Amino acid sequence: MGEVGGAKGRSITSGSADDQMYCHLCTNVKANAWCLVCSIYLCPTCEGHHKKIPTTKDHMLLSGPRMPPFYPPGSGSNSEDIQKCPDHPLEEIKFYCPTHDSIGWVACHTLKHATCAKQYIPDKSAKFKSSNDYKNLTAEFQATDKNASKHLQEIDRCLKEVNKLSTNEINKLQQFKALIIAYLDQREKELLTEIKKRRDLDTAALEKLQTEVKALQSSLGKAQPNLKSHEENSNHLFISAKRAQAKLNQLQTSLDDIKRKTQVRPYTLQKDPLVETLLQNKNGVAQIVSSAGNNKLLSLCNTSYKNYA
């Protein structure tokens, strides 16, 4: 059996008369008696306590050579029908302490509940099946199972509500995104139209000036040969020169006017500062906030958990 009560024990099924038995309740103390009811070995001190405790004082004890020379077969067996002590897996639960509502092997109650009014389980359990305690326990199991079923229904309802809520909010987000994209597309279209309009107006103005300069060049190209043709006649040359000078002055004035008009009217795309701030904001466009409805749903679920607990 290994160590019993902290002391050397015997084999559960075998042993010899020469083997020394040890007290179950003490450490390395030789046994002096065997309790037929509790199926334990007792040293002289524990035997004295055993005879004084109300619940064990009437137990039959075997002492000296009458003690079994080994741990009797059936005591501490591995039968599934026998409830074992959680602290001593090889020992049978035999006592109940109503003060602490606990059960255990005799050693547990001798050491931990020495001052308590213990009850011997075979005596206590005889009428337990027909007792109110058993009826109340059965009713409590049924009530708890019913409460668990209600809780599962509530959780299922909460899960459906959560899925419905998420679906609704995802739809709202996608609709909002569609509105933003439509707005951006419209603004892009309007801005592109304005840019193209400015480009076309400036292009037309510059092309007109280009045509005028080419016309002036053509006039200059005609004026100079005409002047050369009158060099043989002083009067004609003088008159032609004066006319050519007036024409040249006119052309120069036109060129100065064209130069003044030849320019690019600059423009730039100015971003909306509100949109710039929005893009820099990690919670921009939209954010998820708890609403009264969500809090109510969470409260209902929490209430269910509390009821189940």
Side-chain angles (χ1 to χ4, degrees):
M1 188 174 67
E3 297 294 325
V4 178
K8 295 179 180 178
R10 302 294 125 215
S11 170
I12 291 178
T13 60
S14 66
S16 68
D18 295 331
D19 289 336
Q20 178 62 55
M21 310 310 297
Y22 290 84
C23 179
H24 276 87
L25 307 182
C26 302
T27 303
N28 292 329
V29 180
K30 293 180 179 180
N32 185 66
W34 165 265
C35 178
L36 287 173
V37 178
C38 300
S39 298
I40 60 173
Y41 289 100
L42 302 168
C43 66
T45 301
C46 292
E47 180 185 4
H49 290 304
H50 211 66
K51 292 178 179 180
K52 294 179 182 180
I53 298 174
T55 55
T56 61
K57 66 180 181 178
D58 296 326
H59 290 183
M60 181 177 291
L61 302 177
L62 302 179
S63 60
R66 299 175 60 198
M67 290 190 303
F70 56 89
Y71 205 77
S75 299
S77 69
N78 292 323
S79 171
E80 295 180 355
D81 295 332
I82 298 177
Q83 298 297 315
K84 300 298 192 304
C85 176
D87 297 327
H88 306 87
L90 294 178
E91 307 303 337
E92 183 181 350
I93 295 174
K94 289 190 175 182
F95 287 94
Y96 169 68
C97 175
T99 303
H100 299 94
D101 193 26
S102 65
I103 56 176
W105 181 44
V106 62
C108 301
H109 283 267
T110 300
L111 297 174
K112 300 179 182 179
H113 305 274
T115 60
C116 300
K118 294 177 283 297
Q119 297 177 355
Y120 186 47
I121 289 180
D123 296 336
K124 175 71 176 176
S125 63
K127 298 180 180 181
F128 181 72
K129 185 176 181 181
S130 60
S131 67
N132 288 331
D133 288 345
Y134 183 66
K135 293 178 181 178
N136 292 337
L137 179 62
T138 303
E140 189 174 351
F141 266 107
Q142 293 175 349
T144 302
D145 183 67
K146 185 177 180 180
N147 190 32
S149 297
K150 289 182 179 179
H151 181 57
L152 289 174
Q153 292 177 357
E154 181 62 17
I155 290 178
D156 185 62
R157 189 193 67 79
C158 288
L159 286 172
K160 291 179 180 178
E161 187 68 23
V162 166
N163 290 331
K164 179 181 178 181
L165 178 64
S166 65
T167 299
N168 290 341
E169 297 310 305
I170 290 173
N171 289 337
K172 286 167 60 177
L173 176 60
Q174 292 175 341
Q175 291 173 2
F176 188 43
K177 175 185 176 181
L179 288 175
I180 294 174
I181 293 175
Y183 173 78
L184 291 176
D185 288 344
Q186 180 62 30
R187 285 299 294 144
E188 179 187 33
K189 182 179 179 180
E190 293 171 354
L191 291 170
L192 286 174
T193 299
E194 183 176 353
I195 290 172
K196 291 177 180 179
K197 180 179 179 181
R198 286 174 177 267
R199 181 199 63 191
D200 293 344
L201 288 174
D202 289 345
T203 299
L206 290 171
E207 286 178 348
K208 180 180 179 181
L209 294 176
Q210 189 180 52
T211 301
E212 290 178 359
V213 170
K214 288 180 178 180
L216 289 175
Q217 282 184 322
S218 177
S219 297
L220 284 173
K222 294 178 181 179
Q224 190 172 5
N226 184 53
L227 187 63
K228 289 282 187 179
S229 63
H230 295 289
E231 287 181 350
E232 301 298 329
N233 188 318
S234 299
N235 291 333
H236 289 176
L237 180 61
F238 180 80
I239 294 171
S240 295
K242 292 302 179 182
R243 288 178 176 174
Q245 183 64 53
K247 184 66 174 179
L248 184 61
N249 291 339
Q250 182 181 1
L251 291 174
Q252 288 175 344
T253 300
S254 296
L255 283 174
D256 290 339
D257 184 58
I258 291 173
K259 181 181 179 180
R260 179 178 57 82
K261 294 179 179 179
T262 303
Q263 59 181 336
V264 176
R265 295 180 294 175
Y267 58 87
T268 183
L269 181 69
Q270 184 177 4
K271 299 177 182 178
D272 191 320
L274 293 178
V275 176
E276 285 283 278
T277 302
L278 176 66
L279 294 175
Q280 295 174 5
N281 187 355
K282 293 182 178 180
N283 294 325
V285 179
Q287 55 184 316
I288 305 300
V289 296
S290 297
S291 63
N294 288 348
N295 290 334
K296 182 178 181 182
L297 173 62
L298 182 60
S299 176
L300 287 173
C301 292
N302 286 339
T303 300
S304 296
Y305 277 109
K306 292 177 180 178
N307 288 339
Y308 182 67

